Amino acid sequence: MAENKTSDIPKYKVIILGAGMAGLSAASHLMKNKHTDFLVLEARDRIGGRIAVYNSDDVKLEMGANWIHGVLGNPMYEVAMANGLIDIVSVPKQHTVIATTEDGHQVPHPILQEIYEAYICFLHRCEEYFLSQYLPPEDIHSVGEHINLEIELYLRNIVSPEERYLRHLIFQCLLKRETCITGCNSMADIDLLELGSYTELQGGNISLPTGYSSILEPISRNIPHDKVLLNHRITSVRWKYKPYVTMVVCFMRVVLYVLYPWAYYRQNDVCDREPSEDSTDHIVINTDDSDKTVIDVCDREPSEDSTDHIVIKCDNGSVFHARSVICTLPLGVLQAESHLFTPPLPRNKRDSLQRLLFGTVNKIFLVYQRPFLEPNLSEILLLWNDTVQEKSERQTKDLADSWYKKIYSFAKVSDTLLLAWISGEEAEYMETLGLLSRWKKDEFTRGSYTAMAVGASQLDIADLAQPICIKTPKGHKPVISFAGEHTHSNFYSTVHGAYLTGRTAAQLLVSHVFTEQTHNEVIVDCNETDMSSWIQSMSLQ
């Protein structure tokens, strides 16, 4: 394919990378503020990202996002309510759970209730370290280590070996469940001091009768179809402006260096040098503006007809120019494809990317021709004899023979459809089997959602959320903004976290990029019940 001439390359004020919830939220916010000079590039042949539906024999299977997590302050709940996606009249069915051992014996309900309440108490104690002044026991760094210590102390009081072992199996089942909620292989992977950083909205998990994917229509309704290009996988983003330097300028700099070296060092800047991988002289971190990473680019705007735009290339040969980019690519993609950005992202962002965990959680669906479970039963917990082993042991065990023992339950979706969850190495192994999701093998996600690995913190998420800005005579202008669930310090791993960060990134550009052409009032979706929206809109003033 012949190389595109610069004049023929499409130019936009803003290009949004990814049409998942964060990208759609950003695009929708730009449209609501009457800004149309943007484009969304999506690698898949559909929108939605990790919100995905699969239709099998007239059965609608939600392969990705499953619930709206919480009611108060959750924009996803508000969208669903406003568009009639939630039936507030229907009475929710009672959630009846039983637990069974591997040999088929059902656990008495009082024992199940006892262990569940103890486990929740242990988990809350782990969450308290995030805000408390006291420290955990020495050499206890992970949630798994702490909870297992609590379990050990708890079981010491059980005299009967059989009763103690039964309670041990229930604890292990609940820990497997927690790995799916958190998005990790083992709770030993999760930082103890950061567990409480996640904010759980009140109201429980809300299911949409028509499936979670039905929320995509109202979210994308006001985005014109020609603003979203599908099947455009990003292969490179050149974001460093490199103004053209004439021979006269080069000669004058040599003279300046020979005659007035002190002046040369004062005037020397980063515009005409390629940054080295380990150098810090090409990035200026402005400590007086802590919410931005500022790049000094000779204090001047690139001309509109120059090639000093951000250059975005796709695998189908398409090339685009943009003044600013909103990157909503999943954390797993950013971790695995560091070559996407030229020059590389600032070192603090790269370090934060690698500290955070992007685990694998998958679903397994069992479809029946007639009802399988009793009508009053909603979930069966599975108490496998082979419990989750330590990391060193997992590396040597044969997953082919034991992967299924990571499944902690089967839950009823409908009378003829059961759903199981599985996480970590076992989830990665079983992606070659049956009717299930395959988020690890998906090259456009490379995992499921973000978790706080041991050694990671909210500061890492804050680093990823910072926009990269250029310094201009008019102030700091965002070059690359970041959005996605991995950029929300409290709502990471959720769809509403992705939605809020997408809107925040778009609003930043409304204020700093589009203001050159218009001074329209910034529109923020906000009402009395949308506390998260109100807080975010206040923080951006």
Side-chain angles (χ1 to χ4, degrees), residues 153-374:
L153 296 174
Y154 183 89
L155 294 179
R156 285 180 183 177
N157 298 321
I158 309 299
V159 177
S160 167
E162 292 79 11
E163 293 294 318
R164 185 165 58 248
Y165 182 64
L166 178 61
R167 286 163 173 79
H168 169 77
L169 293 181
I170 299 173
F171 276 127
Q172 295 305 315
C173 176
L174 294 174
L175 279 172
K176 294 175 189 178
R177 175 177 177 266
E178 203 66 41
T179 63
C180 290
I181 294 173
T182 306
C184 60
N185 184 51
S186 165
M187 293 309 293
D189 300 332
I190 303 302
D191 194 282
L192 176 59
L193 300 182
E194 292 292 325
L195 183 66
S197 63
Y198 174 81
T199 300
E200 185 172 348
L201 299 178
Q202 297 301 309
N205 293 330
I206 309 298
S207 297
L208 302 183
T210 52
Y212 202 109
S213 56
S214 61
I215 208 165
L216 291 175
E217 192 281 326
I219 292 294
S220 60
R221 184 181 297 154
N222 70 328
I223 306 172
H225 292 298
D226 62 354
K227 292 295 179 184
V228 181
L229 296 186
L230 303 177
N231 299 304
H232 278 67
R233 181 179 183 176
I234 308 301
T235 57
S236 69
V237 179
R238 184 181 69 77
W239 58 272
K240 183 71 176 296
Y241 293 133
K242 296 167 64 177
Y244 180 70
V245 181
T246 65
M247 291 300 294
V248 173
V249 173
C250 291
F251 175 76
M252 292 302 295
R253 288 192 172 181
V254 171
V255 172
L256 181 64
Y257 174 71
V258 172
L259 299 180
Y260 307 102
W262 59 272
Y264 172 82
Y265 285 115
R266 288 187 60 187
Q267 296 297 323
N268 193 18
D269 56 40
V270 301
C271 294
D272 312 314
R273 296 176 291 169
E274 275 297 317
S276 63
E277 180 69 17
D278 299 322
S279 172
T280 59
D281 62 358
H282 61 289
I283 294 176
V284 180
I285 306 298
N286 189 332
T287 56
D288 295 328
D289 201 356
S290 58
D291 64 338
K292 302 179 182 72
T293 300
V294 181
I295 310 299
D296 189 345
V297 193
C298 298
D299 296 332
R300 67 172 181 245
E301 282 287 322
S303 60
E304 190 64 33
D305 59 351
S306 74
T307 59
D308 296 322
H309 297 73
I310 300 171
V311 181
I312 301 168
K313 296 182 179 180
C314 302
D315 62 350
N316 58 10
S318 299
V319 180
F320 303 90
H321 284 173
R323 286 292 176 211
S324 187
V325 163
I326 299 178
C327 177
T328 74
L329 302 179
L331 176 62
V333 173
L334 294 176
Q335 288 175 334
E337 301 184 22
S338 57
H339 63 277
L340 283 177
F341 295 92
T342 304
L345 295 176
R347 183 167 294 280
N348 66 314
K349 288 186 181 294
R350 286 179 283 152
D351 291 343
S352 293
L353 282 172
Q354 298 308 318
R355 276 193 291 267
L356 291 168
L357 175 63
F358 198 70
T360 302
V361 179
N362 277 313
K363 297 179 176 181
I364 303 172
F365 291 97
L366 300 182
V367 183
Y368 297 89
Q369 293 183 343
R370 57 180 181 272
F372 182 78
L373 295 181
E374 296 179 3

Side-chain angles (χ1 to χ4, degrees), residues 61-123:
L61 306 178
E62 294 292 341
M63 307 302 285
N66 210 74
W67 299 289
I68 294 176
H69 297 287
V71 173
L72 183 61
N74 192 327
M76 306 289 52
Y77 181 79
E78 293 162 11
V79 170
M81 285 291 293
N83 290 274
L85 301 180
I86 296 177
D87 185 2
I88 61 174
V89 178
S90 65
V91 179
K93 296 180 180 179
Q94 183 179 0
H95 187 55
T96 305
V97 181
I98 65 172
T100 179
T101 61
E102 196 168 334
D103 56 8
H105 288 88
Q106 184 174 333
V107 176
H109 183 75
I111 295 179
L112 183 60
Q113 185 70 22
E114 167 204 334
I115 300 305
Y116 178 77
E117 291 177 357
Y119 172 80
I120 293 299
C121 180
F122 300 162
L123 195 64

Side-chain angles (χ1 to χ4, degrees), residues 11-15 30 35-39 227 514 517:
K11 297 180 177 66
Y12 296 88
K13 280 269 187 184
V14 175
I15 289 183
L30 292 179
H35 297 303
T36 59
D37 191 2
F38 73 89
L39 187 68
K227 292 295 179 184
F514 288 99
Q517 292 184 344

